[in-house]
Amino acid sequence: MAQQNVSITPGQKYKFIVKSAEEAASIIREKLGETAQVISVRQVEGEGLARFLKSPKLEIIAQIPAEAPQTQSRPEEDSNGQSQEAPEMDDEAPLAESPLRRKVTRAKRTRSPQEPRREDADYVPESLVRAMFKNLPSGRLWTILSKAGIPGEFLAQFGERPETRHLNEQPLQTAISHFAMLMRDRAPSRSLALSNRVAFFGSPGSGSTTALCKQLASDIFLHGQSASVMKLEADEPNSSEGLAMFCEALGVQLLRTRGELKKLSDDTNLYFDIPGMVLTGKNIRYLQKTFDDLGIESRVLVVNAAYERQLIQEAYTRAGALGATHVVFTHVDEIPRCGKLWEFVLDDGLVPLFASTGQNIAADFDRHIIDLLVRRTLSAGDE
Ligand SMILES: Nc1nc2c(ncn2[C@@H]2O[C@H](COP(=O)(O)OP(=O)(O)OP(=O)(O)O)[C@@H](O)[C@H]2O)c(=O)[nH]1
Ligand SMILES: [Mg+2]
């Protein structure tokens, strides 16, 4: 294997594409030394036909901790057991990171959020996760959680907590209910109420208009509140046929110009439908200004739960830069494994408003996301 004797930089992340966990372990040790840490593991497949012709590979991101400098040969290529520096994200927008996400490499986006890679690409067999994360707790419960798609580093961090160590000694059923209880306890207790001006935004097709309609229906049917909707335009067209029909059916006013806002009473909840847009720096600035000008305090990021975990992270980071307050996960009905959502739901950043679990705009949503995840995680892992 080609090597170059140049010094590697502590703290810098390196990406390795390998065929197996064993190969990864030996390459990482050889190239980065014994102190290297694995930060993330992802199964990658070829595109198109290559997907069927080639065996899956693993993409491993590793780094030497900043406090452990040393000189080693530097990885230089990027295929078949070779390696390269992990690329940093294309940073148009100011980025704010949450503590949980700090450990995770932000790699350059290779496809647009309009065409998200499905979450299956993120699934790494439990045996491989286990080989990569040495601190991963062992036992039947952890096997189930790992199979359910909870990321290895998240599980390893969770397993280090004193209150989780005893779980393996318990009968499985007891361990499962304790796990569920710990997850519920760990969820941030804040329930940030919505202000009376709320915008739903997300990448094209993420389900933001549908999410808005669900919230609207809940206000009207369940809480008897009055509400109006305003459709905002931007560079991207904002088709409103479905929204207009739904508003008409509910007897809700659909506003199209800012001038109409003056006629609204102060106690009316007003929901803003934003055209789907990729959160580039320009769009973030546009949205931030629009939200500020219109006095929109509640800013709900709508994110398709079928996106790759990395894209969800990116959406979170970018939405944080425009003052997002809440998050809605959509298409939860379509994903076989919900494990990857745990780290987002347990994060102290955005407050989860609900999970959308189907196309029905007057139903198909669940506000008890923790319970939903516990149910879905354990049933997926137990299959
Ligand atoms: N299965 C499923 N489908 C959903 C869900 N949420 C939305 N959809 C469907 O996804 C499609 C896009 O939903 P929209 O609400 O129009 O998405 P949008 O983000 O407003 O799209 P644009 O404004 O055009 O960018 C529609 O066919 C919805 O019925 C969900 O939770 N589950
Ligand atoms: Mg829409």
Side-chain angles (χ1 to χ4, degrees), residues 25-189:
S26 83
I27 286 180
I28 291 168
R29 215 171 303 120
E30 180 193 331
K31 301 230 177 221
L32 301 183
E34 292 292 337
T35 56
Q37 290 174 349
V38 172
I39 299 174
S40 77
V41 182
R42 198 168 69 89
Q43 190 161 4
V44 288
E45 291 173 289
E47 299 287 334
L49 260 186
R51 188 187 167 105
F52 299 101
L53 299 175
K54 292 182 184 163
S55 56
K57 295 196 173 70
L58 294 175
E59 177 196 274
I60 316 285
I61 310 264
Q63 76 178 154
I64 297 178
E67 60 277 10
Q70 56 177 286
T71 299
Q72 283 275 342
S73 55
R74 183 188 178 109
E76 58 179 20
E77 291 172 47
D78 74 346
S79 65
N80 293 334
Q82 310 287 314
S83 55
Q84 64 175 30
E85 283 185 40
E88 287 298 320
M89 189 172 77
D90 180 9
D91 257 0
E92 256 198 283
L95 298 167
E97 283 195 90
S98 67
L100 245 179
R101 254 172 279 309
R102 219 175 286 136
K103 288 178 81 183
V104 181
T105 301
R106 289 174 281 134
K108 190 184 275 288
R109 193 171 55 224
T110 51
R111 63 174 66 206
S112 76
Q114 289 101 309
E115 304 174 81
R117 199 188 277 273
R118 308 298 290 191
E119 62 117 33
D120 279 355
D122 261 349
Y123 181 64
V124 180
E126 188 247 343
S127 56
L128 299 181
V129 174
R130 209 164 270 295
M132 299 314 301
F133 295 96
K134 293 199 174 67
N135 294 333
L136 208 62
S138 58
R140 176 112 169 86
L141 174 67
W142 300 106
T143 305
I144 288 173
L145 299 179
S146 181
K147 266 196 200 155
I150 299 184
E153 64 260 48
F154 178 78
L155 218 42
Q157 275 175 32
F158 193 65
E160 276 165 18
R161 298 164 66 89
E163 67 271 30
T164 60
R165 291 210 184 111
H166 67 285
L167 290 181
N168 275 335
E169 291 135 37
Q170 299 179 342
L172 187 60
Q173 278 309 321
T174 318
I176 285 176
S177 53
H178 275 174
F179 165 77
M181 208 174 66
L182 285 171
M183 289 305 225
R184 281 192 198 96
D185 286 354
R186 207 188 141 189
S189 54

Side-chain angles (χ1 to χ4, degrees), residues 203-210 214 276 330-334 356-359:
S203 58
S206 56
S208 61
T209 300
T210 306
K214 290 179 189 207
T330 62
H331 296 81
V332 173
D333 52 309
E334 291 180 343
S356 172
T357 53
Q359 290 187 315

